[in-house]
Amino acid sequence: MIAETWDGDDPAPAERGPLAGVVVLDITRVVAGPFCSMILADLGATVIKVERPTDPDYARDFPPHLPAADGSTFSAFFAQYNRGKLGLTLDLATPDGRDLLKQLVRRADVLVENFRPGTMDKLGAGPAVLRAENPRLVYTAISGFGQTGPYRSRPAYDNSAQATGGLWSMNGYADRPPVRVGTIIGDLSATLYAVIGTLAALRHAERTGEGQLVDVSQQDSVLSLTENAVVSYTVNGEVPRPLGNQHPFVRPYELYPCRDGYVFFGGYTDKFWRLTCAMFDRPELAGDPEIDTMAKRFDPEVYSNRVRPLLLDWFASRTRAELEELAGDQVPLSAVKTIAEVVDDPQIAARDMIVDVEYPDFGPLRMFGQPIKLDVTPARPRTLAPRPGEHTDAVLRGLLDLSPQRIAELRAAGVI
């Protein structure tokens, strides 16, 4: 446990989070890796973000930017995904840089990287080398296609995973070209699986003293999000096609227009359908022999000819707010909200999912909070995102006990 080696007071265990004392080396860029280590930092781990001195994480240039009075800027995108970390610069292409990494690995519990497979091996710092330095090390590798298989060496982005994982082909409308999911779902889903795998491997290492490789691929992660697509094909030979806002078989369960926008309505069970009919003063429809059971309403023709027209008529004259108030806690009905509305949503506020931080010189920033809620050791943003190498001296002194003279030599040589 190294928290006590840093300057300042060591907070109480509950404030430090459930991963207090876990040291994570974060050798990642952009989103999938940084988001993984950000979650670990929110959970209390000491995360050291390692960047090259002359080529730091290029997400530092991503918009939007917080401006300072002197004309400099700080990426809010970067700030959100790298909060709670210590900044260390280290050139792994140099012998001294690799030696320092090995020294850090001996004191670490986890290393996260998101390079193309084989990159760390070429640097002389692959999983086998680093686990030889620390047999307890959990080495988490996030990549486009994984550490094995014929695609392992291919470069990849989020869209690569959406394309090759099958999701892109399913998204959009049947009469138009497929549409990518409107967020970087390949990066984000790989992040979550990487966190799960890292925590599982940490638990094993605590019990046995044995570390391991956690291998997470964006393609694998996207495939796992395709719901019933795989079994629909392997069982019935059906290749899923884009369905717009409809579900492959659950009905009613889609987007419906109303007076001032759209709502999602998912009252497909018999209970919810009875409540919906009563809610719109048509209780007799719950006993209509054409639509009185969930199985009947699932039929595409019955849904299109009987059920959907009813819902379109019921929703058309009411606003989103009126419909949400009418549905209340009875049936699943939700307004389709913009991000501007979500940021000010009272439920989001009650869950602390928008957090306010203050960046020195750059001012206030609002970002998303931590969705993992723990009642004893809460997860939360603990510190700001670092500037490149902001904590290099503190890390090398506190973790490796290097002298100021040695640190100055490494800096002069361009290693840090």
Side-chain angles (χ1 to χ4, degrees), residues 210-267:
E210 177 186 43
Q212 60 187 298
L213 172 67
V214 179
D215 173 11
V216 175
S217 126
Q218 291 170 296
Q219 183 188 37
D220 296 348
S221 301
V222 165
L223 176 61
S224 75
L225 302 182
T226 57
E227 197 186 2
N228 69 316
V230 171
V231 291
S232 290
Y233 173 70
T234 58
V235 173
N236 297 322
E238 297 174 2
V239 177
R241 301 297 183 189
L243 294 172
N245 292 308
Q246 296 188 27
H247 191 274
F249 58 85
V250 173
R251 304 176 184 92
Y253 191 89
E254 64 166 303
L255 185 79
Y256 300 90
C258 60
R259 204 170 81 199
D260 65 343
Y262 298 90
V263 295
F264 160 73
F265 173 72

Side-chain angles (χ1 to χ4, degrees), residues 208-399:
T208 68
E210 177 186 43
Q212 60 187 298
L213 172 67
V214 179
D215 173 11
V216 175
S217 126
Q218 291 170 296
Q219 183 188 37
D220 296 348
S221 301
V222 165
L223 176 61
S224 75
L225 302 182
T226 57
E227 197 186 2
N228 69 316
V230 171
V231 291
S232 290
Y233 173 70
T234 58
V235 173
N236 297 322
E238 297 174 2
V239 177
R241 301 297 183 189
L243 294 172
N245 292 308
Q246 296 188 27
H247 191 274
F249 58 85
V250 173
R251 304 176 184 92
Y253 191 89
E254 64 166 303
L255 185 79
Y256 300 90
C258 60
R259 204 170 81 199
D260 65 343
Y262 298 90
V263 295
F264 160 73
F265 173 72
Y268 66 86
T269 67
D270 291 339
K271 171 188 172 181
F272 285 143
W273 181 245
R274 286 195 301 271
L275 290 170
T276 300
C277 292
M279 191 169 74
F280 288 102
D281 298 321
R282 295 293 304 276
E284 74 280 2
L285 289 174
D288 186 313
E290 287 189 356
I291 56 175
D292 61 346
T293 69
M294 188 168 66
K296 293 175 183 177
R297 293 188 298 275
F298 280 8
D299 182 90
E301 289 191 11
V302 172
Y303 172 69
S304 296
N305 295 330
R306 288 295 317 275
V307 178
R308 197 168 191 271
L310 286 170
L311 294 170
L312 290 173
D313 180 59
W314 292 344
F315 295 161
S317 63
R318 294 172 171 86
T319 65
R320 295 177 302 161
E322 289 168 344
L323 288 166
E324 282 195 315
E325 183 177 1
L326 188 62
D329 296 336
Q330 296 185 79
V331 297
L333 185 149
S334 304
V336 177
K337 299 182 178 182
T338 66
I339 287 296
E341 292 170 318
V342 171
V343 167
D344 293 326
D345 187 283
Q347 179 67 20
I348 293 294
R351 299 284 293 171
D352 294 323
M353 277 308 298
I354 299 295
V355 295
D356 296 280
V357 298
E358 183 78 22
Y359 270 80
D361 302 326
F362 298 99
L365 173 63
R366 307 190 79 194
M367 64 179 76
F368 62 67
Q370 177 52 251
I372 300 171
K373 308 299 182 186
L374 303 174
D375 67 349
V376 176
T377 54
R380 57 178 177 78
R382 298 172 192 278
T383 59
L384 305 177
R387 299 196 189 199
E390 181 178 346
H391 306 96
T392 295
D393 289 28
V395 169
L396 297 181
R397 287 197 316 266
L399 202 59

